[in-house]
Amino acid sequence: MKIVELHWTPYAVPFTAEFATAHGGWRVREGAIVRVRTDAGATGVGEISPLPSHGTASNAECLSLLERIATRLLGEDIDSLPVKLDALVGEGARYAPLRCGIETAALDALARAEGVSVASLLAEHGAREVAVNALVDAAACAEATAAAERAVAGGFRDIKLKAGVAGSMAEEVARVAAVRNVVGPHVRLRLDANGAWTEEQAIATIRAIEPYDIDLVEQPVPPGDVAALRRVRAAVRTPIAADESVGGIGTVRALVVARAVDAIVVKLPVAGGVRRGAESCELALAAGLGAIVTSALDCGIGVAAALQLAATLPPASRGCGLATLALLEDDLIVEELRIVGGRMEVPRAPGIGVTLDEVALARYAAGPERVERA
């Protein structure tokens, strides 16, 4: 099955409210929708969702490269596409979002042609629903506790609280204590520091919050220092995960060899696509680590692709970070990715299981659609 047509449209979708992380606030999600048509008549869709905070190129840079390579993808067989993409965009994290968007569209087309889900292309059995975590990013203690309380009332049993946003360690600990108090003892509470702490701050803060039964701390120190992650892990009782430190398979291998973490967090636009994300998860699980698939704060196409990978994880895995579409004004898909009782339903339709909302894409388009045909 060969690619005969390639479309892409940039978008800019505002967040419903500023989304706060240790890297700063987000007001608009910029990315692009990619569509692939094959010589078999199958069409697939993917999403380019850059994360410069994770070492990727910007959306403008990704689209500039896509303009230069699009004609070289025409006529390419989907089975040989990974090798072609490695040659055209490289194997590192910089243009991984571009690679991810094109590969997702190609896999969506392939799976649709075969009448199966993308998850079934990755694994023999896929789950029909995936546990997901609620995300609490409010910096103010009262707002964070209110958001956590609403999440538990909505059926979530995994809460991820953004950390590294308080003014002091005392405020950080008080905020964590308040959230634990409102969610109760039976809800899993994890923190995501987005690399905000120094090694010393991480150790001191994590030790101070351990009485509040923290399930996991994601990326306590800045990425790029595997040894620091290992030392933090050795100094505390709470499990440690790598997020911004996780890129391609090489970064996961380095974390495994160093015994630096207890789990990895996989974002498809940083991993370089669904298949590469699956390889990273498989390597981590084989080493006895946990694997968590999260969105990249992308729209519905990207989240649906991540959900397909999450459906292949072991049933007892921690909640995945896919409950993020409500943060955006529009998810750009027709179907709703429903969350019931803290679990996201995996679509039954072939491919990634969702349909692009053409009307919404036109509303949020940040430029004209580009088309290349064989």
Side-chain angles (χ1 to χ4, degrees), residues 124-211:
E124 186 175 347
H125 301 290
R128 293 191 173 182
E129 58 182 21
V130 171
V132 293
N133 66 263
L135 180 61
V136 176
D137 69 312
C141 186
E143 294 176 7
T145 53
E149 195 168 21
R150 287 193 300 271
V152 173
F156 286 93
R157 291 297 174 264
D158 285 78
I159 305 289
K160 179 160 81 171
L161 178 66
K162 286 291 183 180
V165 295
S168 67
M169 189 175 82
E171 291 176 17
E172 194 90 67
V173 175
R175 181 166 165 269
V176 171
V179 170
R180 169 54 78 193
N181 183 57
V182 299
V183 303
H186 303 302
V187 171
R188 292 202 290 197
L189 177 61
R190 82 179 71 145
L191 303 189
D192 183 3
N194 291 120
W197 299 323
T198 65
E199 183 178 331
E200 293 74 17
Q201 288 172 329
I203 292 171
T205 304
I206 295 170
R207 284 176 173 171
I209 60 176
E210 284 186 330

Side-chain angles (χ1 to χ4, degrees), residues 61-365:
E61 291 170 322
C62 286
L63 294 183
S64 178
L65 179 56
L66 179 55
E67 289 181 4
R68 299 196 298 272
I69 68 172
T71 57
R72 299 173 67 181
L73 294 169
L74 299 177
E76 191 67 33
D77 192 281
I78 288 179
D79 288 337
S80 60
L81 184 62
V83 175
K84 185 74 169 183
L85 287 172
D86 285 346
L88 292 176
V89 309
E91 298 183 42
R94 183 161 179 76
Y95 290 103
L98 173 57
R99 189 186 194 285
C100 176
I102 295 169
E103 183 206 55
T104 298
L107 286 177
D108 187 35
L110 176 62
R112 287 177 187 270
E114 296 183 3
V116 299
S117 68
V118 167
S120 70
L121 298 179
L122 303 174
E124 186 175 347
H125 301 290
R128 293 191 173 182
E129 58 182 21
V130 171
V132 293
N133 66 263
L135 180 61
V136 176
D137 69 312
C141 186
E143 294 176 7
T145 53
E149 195 168 21
R150 287 193 300 271
V152 173
F156 286 93
R157 291 297 174 264
D158 285 78
I159 305 289
K160 179 160 81 171
L161 178 66
K162 286 291 183 180
V165 295
S168 67
M169 189 175 82
E171 291 176 17
E172 194 90 67
V173 175
R175 181 166 165 269
V176 171
V179 170
R180 169 54 78 193
N181 183 57
V182 299
V183 303
H186 303 302
V187 171
R188 292 202 290 197
L189 177 61
R190 82 179 71 145
L191 303 189
D192 183 3
N194 291 120
W197 299 323
T198 65
E199 183 178 331
E200 293 74 17
Q201 288 172 329
I203 292 171
T205 304
I206 295 170
R207 284 176 173 171
I209 60 176
E210 284 186 330
Y212 304 106
D213 188 22
I214 305 305
D215 178 61
L216 189 77
V217 175
E218 295 181 17
Q219 201 63 50
V221 294
D225 192 343
V226 174
L229 272 174
R230 184 183 65 243
R231 289 192 294 269
V232 170
R233 180 182 182 234
V236 301
R237 298 191 304 275
T238 301
I240 301 298
D243 182 350
E244 285 88 343
S245 291
V246 177
I249 192 71
T251 63
V252 178
R253 189 172 291 111
L255 291 165
V256 168
V257 170
R259 298 181 180 179
V261 294
D262 300 280
I264 64 166
V265 177
V266 175
K267 291 179 170 66
L268 297 190
V270 183
V274 179
R275 291 195 185 279
R276 284 193 167 178
E279 291 172 359
S280 292
C281 290
E282 290 166 5
L283 177 58
L285 292 169
L289 306 184
I292 303 167
V293 177
T294 77
S295 82
L297 298 177
D298 31 15
C299 295
I301 298 297
V303 172
L307 178 59
Q308 293 291 324
L309 174 56
T312 69
L313 295 177
S317 297
R318 290 179 171 91
C320 288
L322 304 177
T324 56
L325 292 177
L327 298 171
L328 299 169
E329 278 191 7
D330 201 293
D331 57 17
L332 306 185
I333 56 175
V334 174
E335 300 85 357
E336 178 188 4
L337 290 174
R338 297 180 68 235
I339 301 173
V340 179
R343 304 185 72 82
M344 182 177 280
E345 297 177 3
V346 180
R348 303 291 182 87
I352 60 172
V354 295
T355 308
L356 178 66
D357 186 335
E358 303 280 358
V359 174
L361 178 59
R363 184 184 311 126
Y364 291 100

Side-chain angles (χ1 to χ4, degrees), residues 15-39:
F15 285 86
T16 56
E18 185 178 54
F19 180 75
T21 76
H23 302 300
W26 287 41
R27 295 185 181 274
V28 177
R29 198 352 158 181
E30 295 183 324
I33 298 298
V34 180
R35 281 169 283 187
V36 161
R37 188 171 65 84
T38 71
D39 56 357

